[in-house]
Amino acid sequence: MFDKKELEKIKQKKDEWVKNTYSEHIKKHPERKKKFENLSWNEIKGLYTPDDISQFDYIKDIGFPGEYPYLRGIHPTKYRGRLWTFRQFSGFGSAEETNKRYKYLLDHGETGLSVAFDYPTLYGYDTDHVMSRGEFGKCGVAISSLKDMEILFNGIPIDKVTTSMTINGPATIVWAFYIANAENRNIDRRIIGGTIQNDILKEYIAQKSFIFPPEPSMRLIVDTFEFGYKEVPRWNTISISGYHIREAGSTAVQELAFTVGDGLEYVKWALKRGLNIDDFAPRLSYFFNAHNDFFEEIAKYRAARRIWAKEMKKLGAKKPRSLLMRFHTQTAGCSLSSQQPEINISRVTLQALAAVIGGTQSLHTNSMDEALALPSEKAARIALRTQQIIAQESGVTDTVDPLGGSYYIEWLTDKMEEETYQYWDKVDKLGGVLSAIEKGFYQREIANASYKYQKEIEEKKRIVVGVNKYQMDEPIEIPILKMDEKGEERQINRLKKIRKDRNNAKFERNLIALRKAAESDENLMPFILDCVHSYATLGETCQVLRDVFGEYVEPAVY
Amino acid sequence: MERKIRVLVAKPGLDGHDRGAKIVARALRDAGMEVIYTGLHQTAEMIVDTAIQEDVDVVGLSLLSGAHMTLFIDVTKLLKEKGMEDVLVVGGGIIPEDDAPKLKKAGIAGVFGPGTHCDDIVEFIKKNVKR
């Protein structure tokens, strides 16, 4: 980008600046800290200049939006054409209560839905299972059957609005509920749009809502890839997620490296099955965190896009759409304070701004009360309004990749990419992704980073406003969401009624067919769809798979 | 030599958020205690059985799913049934302010929310351990 002579001149000028201006200045006005570090413990210099990116080749390394390597974005016009999707992750209590919340959010300008399920649903248990005790509707909505899914989307135009569902272990079954519900409403499965998270690798690594061991889990995921591009072509069959890895305490670099590494692992499994990369790759999507360090987050998204495009090309992808990294972003729940909760609005604004400047396709902004409980209606509305302010008032949407070309951002983007490849070398040496999980490599890396971060907060090397500085001793005065206490009873009665009223002979035939298919290597999606259409519950369907596949128990390391 | 305080750090129920439990486990170990970590997905019975087998002085429960009012209290009830009332029980997670006094009444002696300094947990345990 710079010619040699020009660079020499800049370097010479910089040396003079250090000697004459900078060094003189800090004699009288020393810097606040000896060392400035970002959240991945990379040292950050006080000034970046062209010689920090002296190797860079604009056309090869950066290019243009909508063209390889997609560093500047996947669309030529980005938000000048269409804004990102305002998609608030939401769900609590029963399907009735959550349906009401969805309508409320849509009425207030939300443009996409995102379902949070409760723990029993995430583990493939019905509400009346013994392991569900105490968990009904607590951190998401309880969905135990097709009936619940019908109620959840009652009156919502699922032929128009897209829905993302955070479901992993039993993703095949919950997706089948959604498809079956559309079909019962005479909506063609070929036109419904949305996403299932369906990313089991990060469950073993960080989020921990796994059910089956890795091999059958990977098989189920490849089943969804195949069924998806053939039958539900507008559906994103996976959302490869760094969010939870970050929430578990990883650094930004670890989030980037582990997540894109997982993505490539899925591609390899699908190729092993014999699928054509350009058939399924266009429906792969990503999900990242937006944490506190503003520029680091922006560099992370940019690096992710470039790495993915490069690696997919290496794996043989030809269609441009197979090279595009499309991603959702959520602001960092773990960065919120329970102390002075209102100040979380400011944190969320900055994090969301980083996601937007980084080029996200959809965004969830956290509510201020989430370190205390699930969001109240008002808190959820303010969070949505925060996105709308960024979109409509700030002007950051007027140009594509506004920080592209910044010496600091380009240097940091390169640095994060380089460190990603270093992590991949380590994983390769451990025998690949699954073997690194079994050996506890990721889990240890994350636990170490999270402990180091916590210690730095406790030693006040890092400041968290309201937590270790500027504390106040005042009672917290924000309303906490209260749920319908009758919800659980209603749900259990509904399950009893379903089991009594359905055609039980048909139901049993379908479960037997599923078991047989699970024991073979057939694609399980059609069998699961038959089961849920005959009102087999989540727990009943999942139990068949548990019987055939077994359950995963993780090595408990801390 | 003085016997080290023995702590069982436990994750009841289905919640998989284990960042806090792991940090606290390390902090207690670094403070000289003996720490046993149950891993995930424990029922109250499993936790109390481990507490008996490992002869612990303290049980530390961690839950971020919101099921604390049921699952924490299951553990203290069962400890009482087994005659282990002298085991100190503490808990932490996403716990609304209104719930904390109710948990204390049910035998969870210390309740720690987000932003707690690990030293405060160490001090609390040292001061209140009964065995």
Side-chain angles (χ1 to χ4, degrees), chain A residues 52-156:
Chain A
D52 289 298
I53 48 170
S54 58
Q55 300 301 316
F56 112 166
D57 176 332
Y58 184 87
I59 293 178
K60 191 172 130 276
D61 300 328
I62 296 188
F64 293 88
E67 286 182 7
Y68 186 83
Y70 302 100
L71 180 77
R72 304 204 67 178
I74 61 169
H75 299 302
T77 58
K78 211 165 78 177
Y79 308 132
R80 289 167 67 96
R82 183 183 165 277
L83 291 168
W84 64 92
T85 307
F86 305 156
R87 195 186 289 287
Q88 298 293 87
F89 183 49
S90 172
F92 59 92
S94 61
E96 286 90 347
E97 287 166 275
T98 299
N99 174 265
K100 242 193 238 166
R101 175 66 67 92
Y102 288 171
K103 287 176 177 164
Y104 177 86
L105 287 168
L106 289 169
D107 281 348
H108 284 83
E110 184 178 62
T111 53
L113 294 170
S114 173
V115 187
F117 296 102
D118 72 352
Y119 264 109
T121 309
L122 294 176
Y123 281 92
Y125 292 124
D126 293 338
T127 296
D128 54 2
H129 190 278
V130 59
M131 281 304 286
S132 305
R133 192 175 149 68
E135 296 282 2
F136 169 82
K138 281 290 190 309
C139 63
V141 59
I143 299 295
S144 307
S145 72
L146 173 56
K147 191 85 213 152
D148 295 337
M149 192 63 98
E150 291 164 6
I151 296 166
L152 186 64
F153 288 97
N154 184 29
I156 293 172

Side-chain angles (χ1 to χ4, degrees), chain A residues 155-173:
Chain A
I156 293 172
I158 52 172
D159 49 343
K160 294 191 181 73
V161 67
T162 60
T163 302
S164 171
M165 296 192 283
T166 296
I167 191 78
N168 295 280
T172 46
I173 305 166

Side-chain angles (χ1 to χ4, degrees), chain A residues 119-120 123 125 131-135 138-139 206-210 246-250 291 334 336 338-339 370-373 443-444 447-448 450-451 453-455 458-459 467 475-476 480 482 554 556-558, chain B residues 12-19 21-30 35-43 63-68 70-71 74 77 93-98 113-119:
Chain A
Y119 264 109
Y123 281 92
Y125 292 124
M131 281 304 286
S132 305
R133 192 175 149 68
E135 296 282 2
K138 281 290 190 309
C139 63
Q207 163 102 331
K208 313 290 170 77
S209 50
F210 38 69
R246 193 67 181 282
E247 289 291 296
S250 84
H291 209 290
C334 64
L336 302 182
S338 63
Q339 297 80 1
E370 288 190 56
L372 298 162
Q443 298 93 314
R444 238 181 339 266
N448 289 342
S450 111
Y451 194 59
Y453 181 70
Q454 178 66 21
K455 284 278 140 196
E458 298 190 349
E459 288 157 11
V467 173
I476 294 165
I480 296 294
K482 291 269 181 283
E554 74 152 2
V557 287
Y558 70 88
Chain B
L14 296 171
D15 175 35
H17 296 93
D18 56 4
R19 177 178 183 167
K22 287 179 170 182
I23 284 179
V24 172
R26 270 200 205 194
L28 299 181
R29 188 192 61 193
D30 289 355
V35 179
I36 301 121
Y37 172 49
T38 61
L40 299 169
H41 310 154
Q42 303 287 303
T43 61
L63 197 60
L64 286 87
S65 70
H68 48 271
T70 309
L71 299 180
D74 281 355
K77 268 192 195 152
I94 301 292
I95 295 169
E97 281 219 327
D98 290 355
T116 301
H117 200 297
C118 287
D119 289 351

